[in-house]
Amino acid sequence: MAGGDLTCPPPNTVHSQIYCHGELLHQVQMARLYRDDKQFVDMPLSSAPDQVLQDFHELAAAHEHCIPPQQLQAFFQEHFQAAGQELLSWTPEDWKDSPRSLQKISDPKLRAWAGQLHQLWKKLGKKVSTEVLSHPEQFSLIYSAHPFIVPGGRFVEFYYWDSYWVMEGLLLSEMPQTVEGMLQSFLDLVRHYGHVPNGARVYYLQRSQPPLLTLMMDRYVTHTNDTAFLRDNIETLALELDFWMENRTISVSSGGQSYVLNHYAVPYGGPRPEAYSKDFELADTLPEEDRVALWAELKAGAESGWDFSSRWLVGGPNSTSLSSIRTSKFVPVDLNAFLCQAEVLMSNFYTRLGNDIQATKYRNLQQQHLAAMRAILWDEEKGAWFDYDLENGKKNLEFYPSNLTPLWSGCFSDPDAVDKALKYLEDSQILTYQYGIPTSLQKTGQQWDFPNAWAPLQDLVIRGLAKSPSPRAREVAFQLAQNWIRTNFEVYSQKSAMFEKYDISNGGQPGGGGEYEVQEGFGWTNGVVLMLLDRYSDRLTSGTQTAFLEPHCLTVALLLSLLPQ
């Protein structure tokens, strides 16, 4: 397995030879003893890892490295414990009935629903057993001293970018103490590893996720005015941004000038441990010399948060096959908009703390990012930003909600950008979808493609338009919010559950596609719903879903919305 020893740093520890790479991981995942590859790598050891490995090597040698499934199963039952027992249920100490933000929701059904979503934080609360602190080498879970809210379903540990929308919801639920604990966990990870991993598992350590830590801090400090917490942790925030600027940059030339932008890139081969059998079998379809590169691109796709999407397949030999994935060959709009925003926030933080030198440094970095995004990613004719294909030297002009992330992050300088983006949405026919904004217009069977719609992507577009001074853009933002709220509410009414994604092709339904069944919970979905119910508390209704207004009707809708109620 070329490149397999690089799957999970540190590569030569006994611990990583069980959960990250090596013969034991290969045998169990390829034998498909468990329905989901993630189940095995989440299972704690019953004894010390060197003893488990020694026993395994003896068993493998006795069977010439081809252990019969029955004996393999017996080995794992003896040497491993059931997944999940190292995570204990936890009711947040700052949870309380009836937060103020819920009381102002006009529609009684939506108000009652918001109350049920508020209850879900208790169901999604977890804390790590002290056993993980005492014997970290027996667990794939990374110890956290602070309890946290998880996404839900198979995602029983905390994840990086999910947690931003979870925190937004928690602040509306008046739970800043829980948010502070989660923030502290992320900051501890940066101090220990130099970056925030994809999630709280050793097998996620080599990759990150969309960098929203600085924004999390901004939301917390804005809510609590806790300047002391900011001062104590500002250098750790800077360290995380350094990770992205030192390990995830690429130089792009245009008009005789060179610009530095960011991309997702994971410089390690080997299958993802939590999806090992799928990655290994996918690599079998390629020549041996291409397999390590494929595994690295799959990990970069996981780092993007969009695992997986046609967004990372276009321009490859087969734009519908995952074997064509080329994530690192794109300069993504959203990643650069997130980092550009983080630089603005860092400048503001340092100003607040009285450090003008650092404030100026980050303001200059933000200006450079802004200029680079305008030169390389902005398309004046289309009126939007687009991912840049480094190998083919052109923009990917397909629709993705991420194309409008700079509106959400405030990283643009053209005052007409919102009006241009609105026209782009109209021209792309996006405003004709009744149940939510699609993730793409490509149907590939991947989960970050049509017909799925995801809560964070709704937020990127809705808040990007809602922050505009244009009444027309704000009205479209409201209509998009109304569509998404009704989809979530109707599915909840039918199934008494919130989902990680929704299928918007045939009425609102739980989503599908990708590598696993749709999951219930669900952290970021709940967070975005609470945000929209807060923003439009007096306007949103739970009534019957109606078709989205065609662009020529928007003017009439706008006039009606301005009339006294």
Side-chain angles (χ1 to χ4, degrees):
M1 287 174 283
D5 61 335
L6 292 172
T7 303
C8 178
N12 297 317
T13 61
V14 178
H15 191 214
S16 73
Q17 288 173 48
I18 292 172
Y19 291 117
C20 303
H21 62 87
E23 187 184 1
L24 185 152
L25 179 68
H26 183 74
Q27 288 248 10
V28 66
Q29 299 292 45
M30 298 312 292
R32 286 195 167 75
L33 295 184
Y34 305 99
R35 206 163 134 245
D36 183 343
D37 283 0
K38 189 177 186 301
Q39 185 178 343
F40 168 66
V41 288
D42 288 358
M43 290 166 64
L45 299 172
S46 299
S47 53
D50 49 358
Q51 185 61 56
V52 173
L53 266 184
Q54 185 182 325
D55 291 354
F56 175 79
H57 290 317
E58 288 172 6
L59 180 66
H63 292 278
E64 297 181 339
H65 300 275
C66 189
I67 307 166
Q70 202 171 348
Q71 272 135 302
L72 199 58
Q73 184 88 56
F75 174 86
F76 286 107
Q77 282 174 346
E78 181 184 345
H79 289 83
F80 288 80
Q81 301 171 39
Q85 61 192 36
E86 73 277 35
L87 283 156
L88 312 174
S89 293
W90 170 71
T91 299
E93 291 161 16
D94 53 350
W95 190 95
K96 60 185 178 187
D97 270 320
S98 304
R100 286 186 303 277
S101 66
L102 273 57
Q103 301 314 305
K104 66 179 190 177
I105 299 167
S106 297
D107 185 297
K109 289 182 181 176
L110 294 182
R111 190 165 61 248
W113 177 44
Q116 291 170 321
L117 300 188
H118 176 62
Q119 292 279 347
L120 284 176
W121 298 133
K122 294 190 285 187
K123 188 177 173 185
L124 297 172
K126 300 286 180 188
K127 65 178 178 181
V128 180
S129 164
T130 52
E131 279 290 301
V132 181
L133 181 62
S134 308
H135 301 284
E137 73 284 353
Q138 290 182 213
F139 298 87
S140 67
L141 189 71
I142 299 170
Y143 181 74
S144 169
H146 306 276
F148 44 82
I149 303 295
V150 301
R154 76 198 281 267
F155 304 112
V156 294
E157 55 287 287
F158 64 75
Y159 284 76
Y160 184 4
W161 81 313
D162 292 62
S163 296
Y164 163 68
W165 285 276
V166 168
M167 288 180 189
E168 287 277 18
L170 290 170
L171 290 174
L172 288 168
S173 286
E174 297 172 21
M175 295 166 65
Q177 187 183 327
T178 300
V179 171
E180 182 188 358
M182 292 176 70
L183 256 176
Q184 194 64 67
S185 294
F186 287 129
L187 293 160
D188 290 345
L189 288 168
V190 175
R191 277 188 278 270
H192 196 79
Y193 300 108
H195 67 285
V196 181
N198 183 147
R201 295 278 178 183
V202 295
Y203 55 77
Y204 286 145
L205 277 174
Q206 59 179 211
R207 63 186 195 245
S208 189
Q209 262 193 335
L212 297 173
L213 182 60
T214 310
L215 181 60
M216 294 175 193
M217 177 66 86
D218 178 69
R219 300 309 303 131
Y220 170 74
V221 172
T222 299
H223 187 88
T224 63
N225 206 27
D226 189 349
T227 306
F229 185 75
L230 173 64
R231 183 177 287 107
D232 290 345
N233 293 290
I234 186 77
E235 289 182 16
T236 309
L237 295 177
L239 191 63
E240 199 232 356
L241 292 186
D242 288 346
F243 166 81
W244 288 92
M245 299 317 292
E246 290 167 11
N247 300 286
R248 300 291 190 267
T249 54
I250 197 91
S251 183
V252 187
S253 296
S254 175
Q257 196 165 339
S258 186
Y259 299 93
V260 175
L261 286 155
N262 297 82
H263 67 150
Y264 296 109
V266 178
Y268 302 101
R272 291 168 296 150
E274 78 284 5
Y276 191 101
S277 61
K278 294 182 180 73
D279 287 5
F280 196 86
E281 288 178 352
L282 185 66
D284 266 350
T285 65
L286 297 180
E288 195 162 340
E289 63 270 18
D290 295 338
R291 293 175 186 177
V292 174
L294 168 69
W295 290 327
E297 293 293 355
L298 288 167
K299 288 173 182 168
E303 181 170 81
S304 78
W306 290 52
D307 41 341
F308 292 105
S309 170
S310 60
R311 192 179 169 196
W312 313 130
L313 306 177
V314 291
N318 180 351
S319 61
T320 61
S321 169
L322 207 48
S323 62
S324 289
I325 190 165
R326 42 200 297 275
T327 318
S328 71
K329 307 301 187 288
F330 291 97
V331 175
V333 172
D334 45 1
L335 172 59
N336 284 280
F338 293 148
L339 288 167
C340 177
Q341 178 187 46
E343 288 157 352
V344 176
L345 295 173
M346 287 296 282
S347 180
N348 295 344
F349 289 161
Y350 275 117
T351 297
R352 180 173 183 154
L353 298 174
N355 189 331
D356 292 339
I357 293 172
Q358 288 297 314
T360 301
K361 170 192 160 180
Y362 280 100
R363 195 157 50 248
N364 291 339
L365 286 171
Q366 187 260 345
Q367 287 300 316
Q368 290 166 25
H369 231 133
L370 206 56
M373 288 168 64
R374 177 151 191 91
I376 306 300
L377 306 179
W378 172 256
D379 189 293
E380 183 63 35
E381 185 183 342
K382 298 276 186 185
W385 296 263
F386 296 93
D387 298 344
Y388 184 79
D389 185 330
L390 293 158
E391 282 188 335
N392 295 314
K394 62 181 183 181
K395 298 178 184 78
N396 171 15
L397 296 177
E398 292 292 334
F399 169 79
Y400 312 101
S402 52
N403 293 348
L404 299 185
T405 311
L407 297 184
W408 179 88
S409 69
C411 280
F412 62 96
S413 52
D414 178 358
D416 297 324
V418 178
D419 290 335
K420 292 171 183 175
L422 192 52
K423 184 176 186 304
Y424 166 68
L425 289 173
E426 291 172 352
D427 292 346
S428 307
Q429 302 292 302
I430 300 307
L431 302 184
T432 64
Y433 288 94
Q434 300 175 38
Y435 301 100
I437 304 159
T439 308
S440 79
L441 299 179
Q442 305 299 311
K443 196 167 186 177
T444 61
Q446 299 302 333
Q447 63 171 351
W448 288 83
D449 272 320
F450 193 87
N452 284 341
W454 294 77
L457 304 186
Q458 312 302 306
D459 181 46
L460 292 184
V461 177
I462 291 168
R463 261 201 296 171
L465 295 174
K467 290 193 289 187
S468 163
S470 158
R472 189 159 169 271
R474 294 201 302 269
E475 184 57 27
V476 173
F478 167 71
Q479 292 286 351
L480 293 169
Q482 179 68 83
N483 286 351
W484 186 246
I485 287 295
R486 284 188 182 154
T487 293
N488 282 239
F489 178 73
E490 287 177 15
V491 172
Y492 188 88
S493 300
Q494 295 161 20
K495 303 193 179 281
S496 298
M498 299 294 287
F499 294 89
E500 60 169 345
K501 57 187 178 253
Y502 292 83
D503 178 340
I504 60 162
S505 62
N506 186 25
Q509 297 296 330
E515 299 182 303
Y516 54 82
E517 296 300 312
V518 66
Q519 301 296 299
E520 290 182 20
F522 198 86
W524 65 11
T525 312
N526 306 353
V528 169
V529 164
L530 291 173
M531 290 168 76
L532 294 175
L533 289 173
D534 179 65
R535 179 179 284 274
Y536 301 113
S537 57
D538 59 337
R539 292 189 66 192
L540 290 168
T541 66
S542 56
T544 310
Q545 182 86 46
T546 55
F548 195 88
L549 293 170
E550 293 291 340
H552 63 264
C553 299
L554 284 173
T555 309
V556 178
L558 176 58
L559 289 171
L560 289 172
S561 74
L562 297 175
L563 291 172
Q565 298 299 307

